[in-house]
Amino acid sequence: MKEIKKLALVLGCVLLFIVYYFLCNSNAQEVREYYSSGGTADGSNIQNVSIEDAIHQYVIDHMEQEVKITGTGDIMFYDYQMERAYNSTTDSFDFSPSFQYISKYLKDSDYTLGNLEGTMAGKDKGTSANDYGYWADIQSLNFNIPEAAAGNLKDAGFDMLTTANNHVLDSGIEGVASTIDFITGAGLDQTGSFKSESDPKYLIRDVNGINTGFIAYTNVMNETLDDSDSYIVNDLDDYSEEQISLMCSQIQQMRQEGAEFVVVSLHFGERYVSTVSDEERTLARQLVEAGADVIFGSYPHVLKPMEVITAQGEDGTSRTGVVFYSLGNFLSSMQYQSSNAYPRDLGAVASVLISKGSDGVQIDGVEIVPTYVDWTEEDIAVLPICEVVDNPTAYEDRFGDDASSQLDQKRIQTGYESVIQTIIGDSDLTYTYSDYKYQISLEK
């Protein structure tokens, strides 16, 4: 009886080996044919590319791609931040301490973008100047910030800075061009404002195998442009039907040019207002219907609820878009004041998790990292709220026993309890929590 069991075991192993052999041989033959044909799944030629690139393309064409795309709240640099970043010995600025705690969350993404509220005209080239040759104070709200900030943002984990916002013209038309040059010179992508009328009004990038389109618009402008200069900024001109139609057509054009996923950066809403207006909802739906997949909203400087929109696409099919109406402030010198109770010190890093399979690209979920802007004498830094609360020993050196530290910790606790609830709003979306992040399910 034992011999029969042994024989059956041996025969079973042989059968598994044969099945495994034929499966491997079949896949190997497919790969050999793929390479020897000199083509890819889309018919492009690979005869003149390296074997590493060919293997990479094979994986893209045959395996499901998983991608995380991340957006943040407004990025602003005031005099208070310059004072802490300035080194008088070298006459230079270093803002990297501002990102020392949050950087790992940005770098965990395949692509991270943020809205830069301010210009980089160069030292002494703004409309005003402080002792350092730059300007960004709370009275004038006119921003010409040190160009070193671009490199610090790149090192922190950002891949793109959008510049379509109400501060885009703070240093004039010349400042628009220099801002673009400093941003791209630091190795970052940029869109929303432009140096030339012929510049494309959007970008398409390969993000880990998924062609992703990026477009940025503002509905708020501190300065007006002549018609001859209107190309400089993507401006909705106070919800102009003509401009909304143009933006929708540009989204559709990105799709026609191969964008499989479309990300919109939108500067709109009302300052310090945490509710979503009907006008904002209508615009968001129009953009999703036109082909937008995710909208990262900015300008209010406070958090607003997100929304999952199911809309009818141009081709008649149903499609889903995720809208973050405002992610609050990512980095600024705006503080909470009990006199007005605006939570300007709180924000969120929001990520959409997407995948590409045989049925195309879809959104699988959303991740939220609540943030708090913390002040010390040395720096003004973005803190990941949940990590500070749930892993306090890692931040022991950050907080003391003084009244200021106690207020900081009270605000952090408030953010711990309120940020995710504000983003969920009155929707029936559900979420789980792990690794100091909230995972929101889009399934209702």
Side-chain angles (χ1 to χ4, degrees):
M1 188 69 178
K2 290 182 179 179
E3 288 74 11
I4 294 175
K5 289 183 178 180
K6 289 180 180 180
L7 180 60
L9 180 61
V10 170
L11 290 174
C13 291
V14 170
L15 180 61
L16 285 173
F17 177 80
I18 292 172
V19 171
Y20 181 73
Y21 170 80
F22 279 105
L23 285 174
C24 290
N25 187 61
S26 174
N27 286 334
Q29 179 63 31
E30 181 181 349
V31 173
R32 284 194 296 270
E33 292 174 354
Y34 181 82
Y35 291 150
S36 62
S37 67
T40 62
D42 62 1
S44 58
N45 191 284
I46 64 168
Q47 290 179 341
N48 297 321
V49 300
S50 67
I51 188 64
E52 291 84 1
D53 289 341
I55 292 173
H56 175 70
Q57 185 62 48
Y58 181 83
V59 170
I60 288 176
D61 290 340
H62 291 76
M63 304 292 288
E64 180 177 282
Q65 305 297 300
E66 295 180 339
V67 166
K68 180 189 290 190
I69 295 177
T70 298
T72 72
D74 286 314
I75 304 168
M76 309 180 78
F77 295 87
Y78 286 78
D79 277 0
Y80 306 107
Q81 293 154 262
M82 292 186 208
E83 291 169 3
R84 290 161 171 77
Y86 183 67
N87 185 322
S88 59
T89 303
T90 60
D91 188 28
S92 62
F93 294 87
D94 179 13
F95 297 95
S96 59
S98 295
F99 311 107
Q100 59 184 311
Y101 305 104
I102 199 66
S103 178
K104 62 184 177 183
Y105 295 95
L106 305 179
K107 292 180 178 179
D108 184 51
S109 180
D110 293 286
Y111 199 94
T112 299
L113 64 151
N115 171 58
L116 179 66
E117 285 217 70
T119 61
M120 296 178 181
K123 187 175 181 179
D124 295 316
K125 294 182 179 178
T127 55
S128 302
N130 57 18
D131 293 338
Y132 317 120
Y134 299 92
W135 191 255
D137 72 352
I138 199 167
Q139 281 78 34
S140 71
L141 292 179
N142 184 281
F143 294 86
N144 176 35
I145 61 180
E147 54 271 21
N152 294 147
L153 288 163
K154 170 68 174 177
D155 293 340
F158 282 92
D159 299 287
M160 169 182 281
L161 296 178
T162 59
T163 51
N165 54 63
N166 56 307
H167 290 284
V168 64
L169 293 170
D170 279 3
S171 295
I173 293 176
E174 296 80 4
V176 173
S178 60
T179 302
I180 295 170
D181 288 340
F182 282 126
I183 291 173
T184 56
L188 291 156
D189 286 334
Q190 175 276 336
T191 193
S193 62
F194 313 95
K195 296 165 62 175
S196 168
E197 192 166 6
S198 61
D199 290 341
K201 303 306 179 186
Y202 49 79
L203 295 178
I204 298 177
R205 293 288 182 263
D206 182 335
V207 181
N208 196 23
I210 297 179
N211 287 328
T212 307
F214 298 91
I215 190 168
Y217 263 80
T218 182
N219 192 54
V220 191
M221 294 275 286
N222 291 347
E223 305 288 341
T224 58
L225 288 167
D226 295 334
D227 290 343
S228 59
D229 295 324
S230 61
Y231 67 86
I232 291 175
V233 185
N234 278 344
D235 179 21
L236 284 180
D237 192 21
D238 194 22
Y239 301 108
S240 158
E241 290 186 12
E242 180 181 357
Q243 289 302 104
I244 292 174
S245 177
L246 174 62
M247 186 181 184
C248 289
S249 67
Q250 290 168 337
I251 291 173
Q252 294 163 359
Q253 183 64 31
M254 279 193 284
R255 289 286 188 183
Q256 294 171 11
E257 292 179 13
E260 301 165 284
F261 194 81
V262 173
V263 177
V264 174
S265 175
L266 191 56
H267 207 62
F268 73 146
E270 294 183 53
R271 187 176 297 174
Y272 309 141
V273 175
S274 59
T275 56
V276 182
S277 69
D278 291 341
E279 204 165 24
E280 292 164 53
R281 292 188 190 277
T282 299
L283 174 59
R285 178 167 290 277
Q286 287 176 286
L287 298 180
V288 172
E289 289 175 347
D293 293 291
V294 60
I295 299 172
F296 291 119
S298 59
Y299 178 65
H301 301 298
V302 294
L303 285 162
K304 288 189 175 189
M306 64 173 282
E307 182 180 10
V308 179
I309 295 177
T310 301
Q312 202 75 7
E314 290 290 323
D315 57 358
T317 60
S318 178
R319 56 190 322 279
T320 298
V322 175
V323 184
F324 302 98
Y325 284 100
S326 174
L327 292 172
N329 283 328
F330 177 71
L331 176 65
S332 79
S333 291
M334 293 184 179
Q335 293 179 297
Y336 173 81
Q337 296 174 326
S338 57
S339 60
N340 57 46
Y342 298 140
R344 303 178 300 181
D345 51 349
L346 303 178
V349 174
S351 301
V352 286
L353 311 176
I354 64 177
S355 62
K356 176 183 176 181
S358 57
D359 294 332
V361 177
Q362 65 178 23
I363 303 175
D364 299 322
V366 168
E367 283 185 356
I368 298 293
V369 177
T371 60
Y372 172 72
V373 181
D374 181 52
W375 290 47
T376 68
E377 292 185 1
E378 290 75 30
D379 60 48
I380 295 176
V382 184
L383 304 186
I385 287 176
C386 295
E387 185 175 349
V388 175
V389 174
D390 291 340
N391 186 23
T393 56
Y395 293 84
E396 286 178 334
D397 297 337
R398 184 82 192 177
F399 303 105
D401 297 325
D402 59 316
S404 177
S405 289
Q406 291 175 9
L407 177 59
D408 286 333
Q409 293 183 69
K410 183 179 179 180
R411 290 297 300 157
I412 289 170
Q413 186 62 41
T414 297
Y416 187 78
E417 297 166 357
S418 68
V419 168
I420 187 62
Q421 297 303 326
T422 299
I423 290 175
I424 291 296
D426 58 3
S427 71
D428 55 359
L429 295 171
T430 60
Y431 60 88
T432 57
Y433 176 75
S434 65
D435 298 326
Y436 312 126
K437 294 176 286 191
Y438 296 97
Q439 289 81 34
I440 299 176
S441 173
L442 302 187
E443 297 181 1
K444 297 182 180 182

